[in-house]
Amino acid sequence: MGIFKSEHKRRILVALSDIHSGHNLGLLNPSTALQREGKDGALTDYHPTATPFQEYLWDLYQANLKSVKDLAGKDEIVVIHNGDATQGTKYPDAWVSPRESDQIAIACANLRPWLELPNVTKMRIIKGTGSHVMGDGSSEILIAQQLAAEYPKKSISALYHGLFDLDGFTVDAAHHGPAVGMRQWTKGNMMRYYLKSIINDALDSGFPVADLTLRAHYHTPHIEAVTRAFRQYWIALTPSYCGLGAHGIQATRSEFQISNGLLAFEIIDGKLVQTYPFFETLDIRTKETL
């Protein structure tokens, strides 16, 4: 990767989302320290016990982080967490802890490993679904404030909808957008129509059109491209770092596979050179011979 360093500006954009911190199938850093009171009222730290799926997610997360680190080398890394950093308050049946504040602590512990990398200079935390982020992006605001205080030399903030310029390559990031599609043979259709509409609306209004549109929420990775006037634009949906609980099973109409991980984008001199899909897909059906 060093061949680009002397003559070209190279950056790695990391897009991850839906870590659902505080859910017992969401991401959980094993070093997370929460507090509880003993019989004499003394406060002590404890580490919440991970479920088997959380152990799988953390191992995968660590492997993905290493892959990005190796990919970037010494080049700059920009991280976008695209919504639903916490589980929120609407579905308490799957909480790791009954305290809402513990979800903030878990999320901060989950995102710190990125900020420990010296070449991660910026992190943007997009506000997610109200039911998962305690209303109006509350949890993500608190997470960004906490991490910004811990890492004052890094640029960290929370927002609803961003238009980011990386050396001339522009990224439109928001949590909510189109689904991939309900059937295998319709996958990507909704994404392309959505992107075409964004392009037309922006051009009609004289607003800039982003090179890459990032969306999340559906926990399903997919990338589509649209060509307009001989120029190509992309839209990408990110996978999650969360399993399917009772609500997820209902919402997906009993989806049998789930993808966990992230997407990384290699940008050189303001051009998208390559996309790296760092995720794994599991068949989560219970398998028996009867």
Side-chain angles (χ1 to χ4, degrees):
M1 299 304 175
I3 61 172
F4 297 110
K5 187 170 181 57
S6 61
E7 299 178 3
H8 300 275
K9 180 68 177 292
R10 180 175 181 268
R11 302 165 97 181
I12 301 299
L13 171 66
V14 173
L16 69 152
S17 70
D18 298 280
I19 59 176
H20 286 271
S21 304
H23 189 294
N24 62 23
L25 295 176
L27 194 64
L28 178 63
N29 186 335
S31 70
T32 301
L34 306 179
Q35 284 195 328
R36 58 188 170 195
E37 295 182 6
K39 63 180 181 180
D40 58 355
L43 294 174
T44 59
D45 288 345
Y46 77 98
H47 302 290
T49 301
T51 63
F53 196 83
Q54 286 178 316
E55 292 176 349
Y56 156 75
L57 284 178
W58 186 253
D59 289 343
L60 177 64
Y61 190 64
Q62 292 293 95
N64 294 158
L65 191 145
K66 183 180 184 303
S67 295
V68 171
K69 181 180 177 182
D70 293 343
L71 172 66
K74 295 183 179 180
D75 293 321
E76 183 183 9
I77 302 171
V78 175
V79 177
I80 296 176
H81 183 278
N82 205 10
D84 286 2
T86 55
Q87 170 62 10
T89 56
K90 187 174 181 179
Y91 307 103
D93 56 304
W95 281 355
V96 171
S97 160
R99 283 195 300 254
E100 295 174 25
S101 60
D102 285 349
Q103 295 190 28
I104 309 300
I106 295 169
C108 288
N110 285 336
L111 293 176
R112 278 191 195 102
W114 292 105
L115 296 167
E116 291 297 321
L117 298 179
N119 48 335
V120 170
T121 58
K122 302 174 183 70
M123 176 179 284
R124 293 294 176 264
I125 303 174
I126 305 298
K127 299 175 185 179
T129 306
S131 61
H132 289 305
V133 299
M134 306 177 194
D136 202 16
S138 298
S139 63
E140 279 137 349
I141 291 171
L142 293 171
I143 294 162
Q145 289 175 343
Q146 175 66 36
L147 294 176
E150 293 180 32
Y151 300 90
K153 294 184 179 180
K154 304 196 181 221
S155 173
I156 305 167
S157 61
L159 63 152
Y160 261 121
H161 196 158
L163 181 62
F164 308 118
D165 187 324
L166 289 84
D167 310 310
F169 182 82
T170 52
V171 180
D172 176 314
H175 182 68
H176 298 101
V180 174
M182 292 184 63
R183 300 289 181 265
Q184 178 66 32
W185 54 90
T186 65
K187 281 189 175 180
N189 288 355
M190 293 174 65
M191 294 172 65
R192 290 193 303 275
Y193 295 145
Y194 179 89
L195 181 56
K196 285 181 180 180
S197 181
I198 288 178
I199 294 170
N200 291 338
D201 285 344
L203 292 176
D204 287 347
S205 303
F207 295 137
V209 182
D211 297 296
L212 171 64
T213 296
L214 283 177
R215 296 294 185 264
H217 188 61
Y218 290 100
H219 299 203
T220 305
H222 198 78
I223 294 180
E224 290 287 336
V226 169
T227 300
R228 173 72 182 266
F230 302 101
R231 180 174 176 182
Q232 196 166 42
Y233 303 90
W234 294 269
I235 181 169
L237 298 187
T238 46
S240 75
Y241 282 102
C242 187
L244 278 180
H247 171 69
I249 291 170
Q250 178 185 0
T252 62
R253 299 175 179 85
S254 301
E255 177 60 69
F256 74 91
Q257 60 183 0
I258 187 168
S259 297
N260 302 113
L262 58 83
L263 302 177
F265 303 88
E266 183 180 20
I267 301 165
I268 300 175
D269 294 338
K271 303 293 183 183
L272 178 60
V273 174
Q274 191 164 343
T275 301
Y276 296 85
F278 295 127
F279 63 83
E280 297 289 339
T281 300
L282 298 177
D283 179 347
I284 57 174
R285 292 173 292 187
T286 300
K287 301 162 189 68
E288 293 183 293
T289 300
L290 301 180

